[in-house]
């Protein structure tokens, strides 16, 4: 009996210390100041040549989006994650075309669209679209019809050429329902590790002066450096003819 | 493989699973108690679990997806691993493990029937039960601004009439895709009903859409669409915020 107690006490102490450690040190400290952040970025990826930080936008308490302007006047983006002890720089892009940052792949309410448009492209507004293709299939006694989804979200660039758009509530629920239904269609297997795939996607159209569609050449060209698993999804530029326009 | 890590979200299937394991446990215990010389019970449990391991084929029996075990792989592994003497001791338990797959097949089929009785697949109220956080959203540019009157919707849901969707899906699809059709680039179902929950314990995931005239309700699950018509509009359409 005595022996057992003697073993239990240190184990308990270790557990308490661990919980305490995670509680106090697991909490994010304040984000590095601009000079520190610039230094960290240029150390990780010298090519970025970060000059000015445009803004520091927290998505939640552990994920921060930092759009910047480089010394060569390129408009870029950086992605930061709180990693137990410190703010870690996960990725740098020297371009600012839209990406979806998926904090938790399986839950679209944690998905954010981020962008930093190059003013040289002279864009006035962006339109983001949540698209789900119309679908129909039938077999023996079963028949399925899925309506087309096409929801538009307009972003003005008058004030800021960068930004973060958390998935609107209805986008998140439509995508999550879609994920659950396509998962139910996969045969059950022992290994449920494969990432769920949704048949829905997000696209965008850039608009310039007088509502004309422009190709944002400067915004889409650049390089990127990925150091630590930032889960990004590409946002495709749509052609207006791909959209349905009811008369 | 016979083990499934993912738990079902449906209480009927969970109950069926528990019943299956109980039956297996009773069978094993009864056989164990009958024995003169008793091997350690934990080893028996381990042998039963290994015995369950089998080569299976997926079968869809009366709309219930099940697995039929064919080859007793676990039993063969045990034959190979155990010495002759201990194989004699554990043989019966290994085979109970294999036959347990058929007990689970039976309880799954039972659950499948029970499930449709407790949560009818054809009932709109199975999919739309809790409307507390429900709202309507236009999902296509051909939809207008629309609002949900929850109490009225709940009342009308009791009176909706199920309509066989047979061939309608294809028509809806074609009418929206062909330039000669009046529905070209319009959507028959331009609204989604979001925030609504299915009946508790049913695990019936779906997406619910409302027709452009407000009187049709389309519920699409993973492999089937159900279509209902109401006499009165289910939602209020054409309401503008700026008015």
């Amino acid at each position: 009996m005595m022996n057992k107690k003697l073993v239990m006490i240190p184990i308990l102490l270790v557990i308490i210390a661990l919980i305490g450690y995670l509680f106090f040190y697991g909490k994010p400290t304040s984000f590095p100041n601009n000079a520190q952040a610039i230094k960290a970025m240029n150390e990780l990826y010298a090519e970025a040549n970060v000059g000015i930080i445009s803004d520091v936008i927290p998505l939640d308490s552990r994920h921060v989006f930092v759009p910047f302007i480089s010394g060569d006047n390129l408009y870029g983006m950086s992605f930061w994650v709180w990693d137990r002890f410190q703010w870690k720089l996960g990725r740098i892009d020297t371009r600012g075309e839209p990406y979806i940052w998926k904090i938790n792949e399986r839950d679209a309410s944690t998905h954010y669209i981020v962008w930093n448009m190059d003013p040289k492209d002279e864009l006035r507004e962006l339109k983001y679209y949540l698209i789900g293709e119309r679908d129909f299939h039938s077999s023996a006694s079963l028949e399925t019809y899925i309506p087309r989804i096409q929801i538009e979200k307009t972003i003005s660039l008058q004030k800021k050429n960068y930004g973060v758009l958390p998935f609107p509530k209805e986008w998140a629920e439509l995508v999550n329902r879609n994920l659950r239904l396509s998962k139910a269609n996969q045969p059950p297997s022992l290994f449920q590790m494969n990432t769920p795939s949704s048949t829905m996607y997000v696209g965008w159209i850039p608009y310039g002066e007088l509502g004309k569609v422009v190709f944002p050449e400067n915004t889409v060209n650049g390089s990127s450096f990925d150091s630590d698993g930032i889960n990004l999804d590409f946002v495709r530029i749509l052609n207006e003819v791909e959209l349905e326009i009811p008369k | 493989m016979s083990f499934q890590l993912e738990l079902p979200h449906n209480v009927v299937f969970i109950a069926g699973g528990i019943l299956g394991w109980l039956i297996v446990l009773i069978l094993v215990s009864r056989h164990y108690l009958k024995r003169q010389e008793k091997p350690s019970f934990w080893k028996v449990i381990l042998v039963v679990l290994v015995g369950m391991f089998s080569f299976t084929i997926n079968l869809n029996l009366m709309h219930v997806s099940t697995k039929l075990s064919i080859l007793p792989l676990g039993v063969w592994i045990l034959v190979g691993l155990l010495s002759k003497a201990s194989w004699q001791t554990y043989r019966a338990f290994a085979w109970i493990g294999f036959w347990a797959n058929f007990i689970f097949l039976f309880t799954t089929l039972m659950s499948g029937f029970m499930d449709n009785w407790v949560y009818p697949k054809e009932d709109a109220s199975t999919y739309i039960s809790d409307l507390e956080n429900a709202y309507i959203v236009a999902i296509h540019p051909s939809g207008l601004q629309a609002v949900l009157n929850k109490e009225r919707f709940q009342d009308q849901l009791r009176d909706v009439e199920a309509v066989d969707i047979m061939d309608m899906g294809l028509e809806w699809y074609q009418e929206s895709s062909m330039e000669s059709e009046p529905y070209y680039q319009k959507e028959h179902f331009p609204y989604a009903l979001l925030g609504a929950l299915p009946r508790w314990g049913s695990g019936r995931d779906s997406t619910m859409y409302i027709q452009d005239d407000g009187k049709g309700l389309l519920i699409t699950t993973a492999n089937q669409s159900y279509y209902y018509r109401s006499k009165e509009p289910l939602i209020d359409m054409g309401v503008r915020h700026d008015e």
Side-chain angles (χ1 to χ4, degrees):
Chain A
M1 268 328 260
M2 200 51 204
N3 247 339
K4 257 191 184 165
K5 266 188 193 162
L6 277 177
V7 176
M8 282 307 284
I9 289 165
I11 289 176
L12 265 173
L13 280 176
V14 168
I15 290 172
I16 289 167
L18 217 95
I19 290 169
Y21 181 80
L22 287 176
F23 186 75
F24 289 109
Y25 293 88
K27 267 192 184 169
T29 55
S30 63
F31 195 75
N33 66 35
N34 284 6
Q36 287 168 331
I38 290 173
K39 193 166 160 254
M41 287 194 261
N42 289 332
E43 263 166 26
L44 184 73
Y45 188 48
E47 266 181 81
N49 186 19
V50 178
I52 303 164
I53 283 184
S54 313
D55 205 345
V56 174
I57 309 172
L59 309 189
D60 56 29
S61 64
R62 281 157 197 272
H63 299 85
V64 174
F65 172 66
V66 179
F68 65 84
I69 307 170
S70 80
D72 347 307
N73 209 23
L74 292 176
Y75 285 71
M77 315 189 278
S78 62
F79 304 81
W80 300 71
V81 178
W82 175 256
D83 185 33
R84 287 186 300 270
F85 320 104
Q86 54 173 327
W87 282 103
K88 262 178 85 175
L89 177 53
R91 183 188 163 108
I92 305 181
D93 283 69
T94 62
R95 58 169 173 247
E97 67 174 322
Y99 276 107
I100 304 172
W101 189 356
K102 298 180 172 177
I103 309 295
N104 174 3
E105 173 98 45
R106 285 153 198 268
D107 179 7
S109 66
T110 67
H111 295 184
Y112 299 81
I113 307 177
V114 297
W115 65 91
N116 186 12
M117 301 296 154
D118 194 321
K120 291 191 281 299
D121 287 325
E122 298 189 330
L123 301 180
R124 291 291 167 268
E125 63 177 28
L126 314 175
K127 283 187 177 163
Y128 289 114
Y129 292 91
L130 179 70
I131 305 283
E133 300 295 353
R134 182 175 289 119
D135 196 15
F136 159 78
H137 36 199
S138 74
S139 66
S141 59
L142 303 174
E143 187 160 313
T144 326
Y145 175 73
I146 299 171
R148 177 179 170 87
I149 289 171
Q150 180 183 315
I151 313 180
E152 183 182 285
K153 183 95 191 163
T154 307
I155 304 285
S156 164
L157 297 174
Q158 303 291 353
K159 285 193 190 114
K160 287 187 294 185
N161 59 314
Y162 58 82
V164 171
L165 173 69
F167 266 33
K169 186 168 105 178
E170 64 272 17
W171 289 31
E173 190 177 337
L174 285 164
V175 172
N176 282 345
R177 281 182 186 266
N178 181 275
L179 274 175
R180 280 206 296 274
L181 293 188
S182 46
K183 202 172 131 203
N185 265 337
Q186 288 167 359
S189 72
L190 189 64
F191 306 102
Q192 298 274 0
M193 299 309 284
N194 46 353
T195 45
S197 63
S198 164
T199 49
M200 292 165 76
Y201 62 92
V202 177
W204 69 297
I205 301 183
Y207 289 92
E209 215 54 81
L210 300 168
K212 256 176 58 187
V213 178
V214 263
F215 183 72
E217 215 176 318
N218 296 291
T219 300
V220 301
N221 278 312
S223 57
S224 55
F225 184 84
D226 193 340
S227 83
D228 191 23
I230 300 288
N231 189 4
L232 293 186
D233 206 356
F234 187 68
V235 183
R236 190 166 69 89
I237 295 190
L238 297 172
N239 199 319
E240 272 185 326
V241 297
E242 291 175 77
L243 297 174
E244 290 197 347
I245 301 152
K247 287 185 188 84
Chain B
M1 300 289 261
S2 304
F3 297 104
Q4 211 178 312
L5 292 179
E6 188 119 318
L7 274 173
H9 300 292
N10 177 303
V11 288
V12 177
F13 278 91
I14 293 172
I18 293 172
L19 179 71
W21 282 100
L22 274 179
I23 295 174
V24 174
L25 191 69
I26 290 168
L27 283 180
V28 173
S29 309
R30 277 185 51 178
H31 196 80
Y32 184 77
L33 292 174
K34 265 197 268 171
R35 279 294 179 90
Q36 310 266 271
E37 28 125 21
K38 295 195 187 332
S40 127
F41 194 67
W42 292 114
K43 282 185 190 159
V44 168
I45 297 285
L46 194 69
V47 166
V48 172
L49 288 176
V50 175
M52 284 179 185
F53 178 55
S54 64
F55 180 79
T56 59
I57 47 171
N58 291 323
L59 265 189
N60 217 330
L61 287 172
M62 340 216 178
H63 297 313
V64 185
S65 60
T66 56
K67 288 170 181 175
L68 184 64
S69 300
I70 312 176
L71 306 177
L73 298 181
V75 174
W76 293 346
I77 290 171
L78 287 168
V79 173
L81 283 179
L82 297 175
S83 69
K84 237 187 185 152
S86 44
W87 169 241
Q88 284 309 321
T89 321
Y90 292 112
R91 193 177 67 181
F93 295 109
W95 281 107
I96 291 177
F98 177 68
W99 294 116
N101 289 310
F102 293 88
I103 294 169
F104 292 136
L105 176 68
F106 173 74
T107 54
T108 307
L109 278 176
M110 285 288 294
S111 312
F113 293 127
M114 291 284 288
D115 173 46
N116 206 25
W117 181 63
V118 181
Y119 304 112
K121 283 197 181 84
E122 290 75 23
D123 267 9
S125 61
T126 302
Y127 305 93
I128 308 171
S129 164
D130 181 352
L131 284 169
E132 202 187 322
N133 298 312
Y135 59 102
I136 289 286
V137 78
I139 53 166
H140 192 274
S142 60
L144 306 159
Q145 195 76 245
V147 214
L148 178 70
N149 180 331
K150 291 178 198 172
E151 276 139 52
R152 220 184 58 212
F153 186 88
Q154 196 103 58
D155 286 342
Q156 282 166 332
L157 202 57
R158 283 189 213 108
D159 303 326
V160 291
E161 214 170 299
V163 181
D164 195 347
I165 189 187
M166 209 57 206
D167 297 330
M168 260 186 248
L170 181 61
E171 244 170 72
W172 292 327
Y173 185 89
Q174 285 175 339
E175 284 177 14
S176 294
S177 349
M178 289 197 297
E179 218 170 332
S180 53
E181 295 286 344
Y183 261 99
Y184 178 61
Q185 302 223 324
K186 286 184 193 150
E187 178 51 62
H188 281 86
F189 295 87
Y191 309 99
L193 170 67
L194 298 178
L197 298 177
R199 267 180 59 200
W200 185 87
S202 69
R204 293 257 194 271
D205 285 330
S206 69
T207 311
M208 294 143 297
Y209 307 97
I210 310 275
Q211 206 160 359
D212 56 349
D213 65 357
K215 295 179 182 172
L217 170 66
L218 182 78
I219 299 177
T220 295
T221 69
N223 49 31
Q224 171 76 308
S225 288
Y226 301 94
Y227 181 45
Y228 307 88
R229 291 290 295 174
S230 158
K231 288 193 183 71
E232 296 298 315
L234 295 158
I235 53 173
D236 300 320
M237 293 168 301
V239 183
R240 284 182 184 280
H241 281 314
D242 49 21
E243 274 174 16

